[in-house]
Each structure stands twice: as structure tokens, then as C-alpha cells.
Amino acid sequence: MQLEEKLMSSFVAFESEVDTLAPVHDVREKALKSFEKLGFPTKKNEEWKYTPLNTLLKEDFHIFSKHDNTIEFKEVKQYFIHDIDTFKIVFVDGVYNSFLSETTHEGADICLLSAALTQSKYKKVIADYFNQMAAENDAFTSLNTAFAKEGAYIYIPEKKILEKPIQIIHFSTGNDAALMLQPRNLIVVGKQAEVQIIERHQSLSSQKVFTNSVTEIYADQRAQVDYYKIQNDQEEASLIDNTYIRQEKESHAKVHTFSFGGKLTRNNLNFFHNDERIESTLKGITIIENKQLVDHHTLVHHASPNCESHQDYKGIYADTSTGVFNGKVIVEKEAQKTNAFQQNNNILIDDKATINSKPQLEIFADDVKCSHGCTIGQLDEDALFYLRTRGIPKKEAKALMTYAFANNVLESVQIPSVKSRINKIIATKLGVDLGFDV
Amino acid sequence: MGYTEEELKKELETKEYEYGFYTDIEADTFPVGLSEEIVIAISQRKKEPKWMTQWRLEAYKVWKEMEEPDWANVNYTKPDFQAISYYSAPKSKDKYNSLDEVDPELLDTFKRLGISIDEQKKLAGVAVDIVMDSVSVATTFKDTLAKKGIIFCSISEAIQEHPELVKKYLGTVVPQKDNYYAALNSAVFSDGSFCYIPKGVRCPMELSTYFRINQAGTGQFERTLVIADKESYVSYLEGCTAPSRDENQLHAAVVELIALDDAEIKYSTVQNWFPGDKDGKGGVFNFVTKRGICHDRSKISWTQVETGSAVTWKYPSCILKGDHSIGEFYSIAVTNNLQQADTGTKMIHLGKDTKSTIISKGISAGKSQNSYRGLVQINGRAENARNFSQCDSLLMGNACGAHTFPYIEAKNKTAKIEHEATTSKIGEDQIFYCNQRGIDTEKAIALIVNGFSKEVLNKLPMEFAVEAQKLLEISLEGSVG
């Protein structure tokens, strides 16, 4: 409970230091009250049944970085998707780094939330969208809101099709022994606008880092949002990622989550439908080992007719790693003609690995097609044998089959460099020197 | 001559509970409320030995400390446990030797229920242990069973005559402190059935018990214990109907199954307690704990047809402790009007090469809520465990809900688990297809619902299939052929 108290007591100091628009102060104070009431969740909380937080929360995290942290581009080049031109919003230990970033105000706002929270020209957007989707009854989200100060602010106006993807990267240097980061992103995509975003959290040392991130995405009519989360962090880095997406009529939002690293990774991915003919896609690949834990909690809330959602999560668990999947699909009474699909396939490589899966359907409308499937199994021995008789060594054969198992998810990746980057990470993860690119 | 879904819906809403009548038999009822004295009094009334009284008191102590669970996806006013009378027995003679001695009014009740004892004796070859409220009043075919060494009697009789068996197994699968209702049941259970199949014996007939709640304001707390010794086989049937009542009645039963090495138990249930009227008034609360334990190479199979009760909260489970053991769960749950059902199963795989199958069919109509909640757990040493689960829901109308809450936990890499769930309604195209071939809409719906639940209906023993069909009719009359 130490961390909880520390957070509570440093709030006043934090509030007096930050200079933001008046309404934001109220939002923050309200959020802190809600956090105080909720407290950190325990294992008794159904949503956190399989993901123990006690070791993480015992840690004495610094809430703010005390150092002036700079890093050279060549040190961190490998963490960028650097073979294509992109906008970049880069933070080092929670502080914006202008040297590594490339932002713009031409045609679209790709800049900082701190700017949006303080400058009066953003007042309306902040009033309309800031903290409008984020859940009020989630402790981590409330905590983030209370300390919301910095993050990415992206505003794509109507009919703007952004020509290059945006990278949002959070680095932590490890100059502080244990650091807690609370980035907050706000992304508003106007009518018929299109955007591609790649997000990454990266620790540069073996120090402990705890990131509690909240991202709010608003997709207006016919907007297209394509979001990639690359999670391949150090062993001591933990991440709780809360993403809230609200979609308007005929919009299409896709989120791909690639979880390959970190000590504890929890993804809360929430989709809310506001109108008809909306499509949502949620896909993920998880490949972890050692004592790692990855927890995917997804929610698709169908509230209007004729919408579709697709979920496809693949997990491969080695050593003593733990995987959790809880996929919730809620179909309201009004949401007739909903098509909702959910798929969760898992492979356990080692005896001590664990998977807890809870695919959940709550349906109140009768004219719907909803299904979910969940499997836990092994690689097919016969197929493995076949590959080996063709002269492919066992390790490579296994890697090929594992890759094929996860490939469904990769097929819908729209940015080729992201795809080849993921391919490379998978190859490294499986310990083979294979280029999966075709 | 079109019979539309609208009409069907209307008919379903207005359909009265056919079996809602009340038998006027003078009964011997305890004062309301629960205390240590009542627990002791129940035990004394049943002339139980000291260890049993002690066992009940232990359960009562645990129960007092426990809180009523509320995690299930159901809403209801919690029963007031001090407003219930915990013991009620028909005030006739204690035992009957032949049917002639039985109260004619009682016999009439059974006739109206469609259970003619004579008929069953002659035609079906079923030994029926009828539990009317709390005391067994008629037991048939006892002799035939006795020849094989099979013990089939009421649990109070078993406590008197076979204390060693009861003492050895009672509470081993569902301990007193297992959950709130199991603890309550352990403290106050009034009667129930006991069955023991000796080693190597194949029970020659289906064993069945009909439970009925009768006396106003009495909850029924059944306790069933089935023990299948090594290499034996038994098929056990249980069916329930209850008369109309305006206040909610509580039913908190406990069923324990023990399948020793190479044994097989098939346990089938047709549950048709009073579901309440179309405004949700009245109706039975059905909070049941059913669990079986499988030793090496044994098999337990649960089949259930759930059509009644206002609130159902029931998870027949299998603990697959022995290697190569098998657990099965087949279920149809039908909810209508304001009924709520939260039902499913737990398959706990502990032994090597264990297998489990789950087939669950939910049909919701009216304003009802139907949930499947299940757990498949593969433990670390359960090598080569295999599970297949399928949960399908059928929605009729736009005011009902179907929910699925499966929990899948695997801790062994050799585990193979498949889980599948679908939710759909009766397709217009399906009905159109039938219409085209000269099948009217009513028959088409019947055909589709029948096909939907066939996988489970097929698992019921022959003698029971008819009864199951009959009970399904009450809930979905006009849609089942």
C-alpha cells in the first residue's frame, strides 16, 4: 500500500506545479478521489483474478524523474521503425524529447498533450474529448487521469489522410532506480480521416519501470484508425495499458498488439460503438518466456445495429510464463444484426507455463451472429515430422510452424516495415535465423 | 394458417404452469427459523446417531460464519433464512408396505403428475423412491435390487442401517464448508436418496427419484449420495415438479457422486420447479451443489434438462482425480418470462489421460436471462488431458439475454482444449426452407428447437426422454413437437 499512499500524498505538490486549463484541474481532482475510493485492485477483483499485482505494487517507485535525461539517437535507433519516413513523438522518462521527435501543426496536429492542456486554442477539443471515454471505475485509469500531464496529442481534421505513420515512443533511461511513468495520449480522428500509429514503450536499462498508460481514441464518421502496439520490453519493465476507443458511424478501427516482453503486461482494450455499420478489429500475438506475464482484457461494446467486430489473439507460452485472455463481447438490445467473432488460440511450450482464458459473451439481442472459440494445444507432431523428413532441422521446423500459427494476425498489418520488424522479433524470440518475409 | 413467432411468444407468456396444484395433506411442520435447536431437533426427529447430529452442527457453525454469494449473473431478493420452516413431513404413517396404505390424495397427485407408480412398476421397470416433501413414502423394486446387493433407500434410512458407508463418504466430495448453500444443506437436510452399487455389479434398472416441494413455506434440502464401487455401473434419474406458490421457495440440494476404480455413474436430471408466473411472481430458487469424483478409469456423466425455477444456480461438476477417468456434462437450459438461470459445469483434471466433454444448450425466451458459466482446469500433473466444450445459445425474442462465462485454465503443456460458443436465433431462412417444403411455421420451430437440443436429449435414458420432452413442452409449448 506504500505506493498508493505515496501517490496520494504527492498529488497536491503535482497539482500546484502543473499549469493547465482550469477544467482539467477539476477532472484531475475528481479522478484522484475516484482512485482513493477504488484503491489498487487485488486478486479478489474478478478482472484481476489471474494477474497478481502485489510484487509490482510493493516496489518503491519514483513518481517523477529527478534527472535531466538525454539520449543519443544512435543508442536508440533500433527501437524506431527507421526505414520509412514517419512523424515521431518521443518521450524520455516521461519528458518530451524534441531532438528525437518530428512533430507538425501543418494539416494536422501531431504534438504534445501538455501543449493541448495548457493552450486556450485547444480548449474546445479538450473539453469535448479529454477523459470522455476513459472509465471512471478503473483504478489505474483514474490514477493516470489524476496525474495526466504529458503524452501524445494527435488531431486529424476532416478528410485528412495522413501521408506517413506516427510513432509514439516512450523511453526510460534507468537513471532513477525505479520509475513510474503515466503517459496520457489523446487521439482525435475527424470525419473520413485516416491515420496509422505505432506505439512503443522501451526501457534502456535493467532498472525497474512501471508504466501506467491511458490512450483515448475518437474515430469520427468513416474515419480509419490503424494502431500498432509493440511491446518488447526489458525483463524488469511492467506495463498497464488502457486504451479506449469510441467509434462513430461507418468508422473502422484496428488495433494490433504484439506482446513479446516485459515482466507484467496488462492490456485493457475497450471499444465503444456509437452508431451503425462500425467495424472493429482486435488482434494480438503473444510470445513470452521465463516468468513473464501477459494479460489481454478486451471489451467490445456493441450498442448499435449492423456492426462487426473481429478478435483474434494467438499466444505462445514457454518456461514458467503465464498468459491471460479475457475477451468480453457485450451486445445491447438495440444492436441487432451484430456480427461478433472472437478467437483465442494458445500453445503451451513448457510444463510450467500457464494459460487462463475467459472468452465471455453477454448478449441481449436476438438477431445476431456471435461466436467465440478458444483452444489450447500443441504443435502437430505429424506436421513436424513431415518438415523434418524434408531436411528442415527440428528447431527451424518448430519455428516455422509457430510462425504459421501466428500468421493470421500478421496478415492484416498494413505497414510493411512494421510487419518485417515483427517478423524479425519473432525469429529472435524463437531463436532461429529465418527471414519470414515472403 | 400461419403460426408466427409472435403468436408463439404470446402463447409462451400466457402459458400457465400445468402442474401447479397443491395437495392438501396434513403435515407435521417445524416452527420457522434456524438455530442450533432446530438442527438438533431435525436430527432427533430422524432418530439419527450422535455423530450425525455432530456433523450437522459443525455445518451449521460454518454456515453462520459464511456470507451468501452474489457473483452469479442473477438478481433476486435474498431469502430470509429465519422465515423458513426446515422440516416438514406428511403426517401419515411413517412407512407403507403396499400402495393401498398410501393416502389416496397423494396417489392422485402422482397421477396428475403423470407418474403412475403401477404403470412404472409394470412398464418401465423403474424403481421409484418418491420423496414428497421430506419423508420417503413409497419405495418399489427394493427386493430386486436387494438381490444384487444394491442399496437404494432414503438417506435417513441409510444413516440408520448403513452408517459405515455414510460415515465414510458423506461430505467427501462436497464438504460442509464448500459453499453457503452446501453448508446450509449439510446442517438441515431432511431427506434424500442413498445408493450403493457393490463391486462388479451392473444395476439392472434405471434408478429414479421424484422430488416435489409441497408444503407452503418449506424449503427442501435434499441430500443425495451415490456410491459406485469398483467396476460397477448405475444410471440414476432425478426429476422434479413443484406446485404454484406465491412466495419464493428455496431449494438447496447437495448431490455427491463417488465413482471408484472402473465404475460408471450416469446421473440425469429433469428439473421443472415452479418458475413463477409471467410477472415473475413466485417461483422456486434452485441453488444446487452437485459434484462427482472419479477414481482411476471411471466415468461420471451428468445430463440435465432445466426448464423450471425462477432462479437457477447450478454447476454439476466432475473432479477427475483418477488416471484415465472421464467426465461428461450435457445440458439443456430453457428460460422463459422472468426466469434466470446461471448454470454450467466444472471439470477439474487432476489425473493423467483424463477426458471431459461439455455440451451446453441454452434457450432463452420472454424476458429471461440464461447464462453458461463453466470452468475447465488442467492441473500440472494432468498429462494428456483433453477437453471439448461447446456452448450454444438460442434467443427467442428481443427482451431476453444469453451469456457465456467460460473459464479455461491450463497448467500442463500436453493439454488439448477446445472451446466453442455460438449465439443465434431461429433463422428466417431456416423457417422459410421448412415452409417451402410444406412444413408449417409451428412445426418448423419445433423441428429447429428439437434439432438444437437433440445432442443432449439423446443422452437421456429412454425411460426419461419422454418425461423430458413433456417438461420441455411446458416451457416452450408450441415449439417442441
Side-chain angles (χ1 to χ4, degrees), chain B residues 268-281:
Chain B
S268 315
T269 311
V270 170
Q271 186 265 110
N272 186 30
W273 301 106
F274 179 50
D277 63 15
K278 73 178 199 309
D279 301 316
K281 209 168 161 230

Side-chain angles (χ1 to χ4, degrees), chain A residues 311-366:
Chain A
Q311 296 188 50
D312 196 349
Y313 281 84
K314 312 282 185 198
I316 296 138
Y317 305 95
D319 301 330
T320 52
S321 62
T322 306
V324 180
F325 177 78
N326 185 343
K328 239 185 247 169
V329 175
I330 300 177
V331 181
E332 293 287 348
K333 214 182 275 182
E334 296 76 29
Q336 295 292 356
K337 309 264 181 210
T338 290
N339 277 358
F341 300 99
Q342 191 184 66
Q343 185 79 28
N344 173 229
N345 307 104
N346 303 288
I347 294 180
L348 295 179
I349 306 268
D350 290 299
D351 265 340
K352 295 267 164 62
T354 305
I355 168 78
N356 298 307
S357 181
K358 191 184 166 200
Q360 196 173 324
L361 294 176
E362 291 188 49
I363 295 164
F364 296 93
D366 62 340

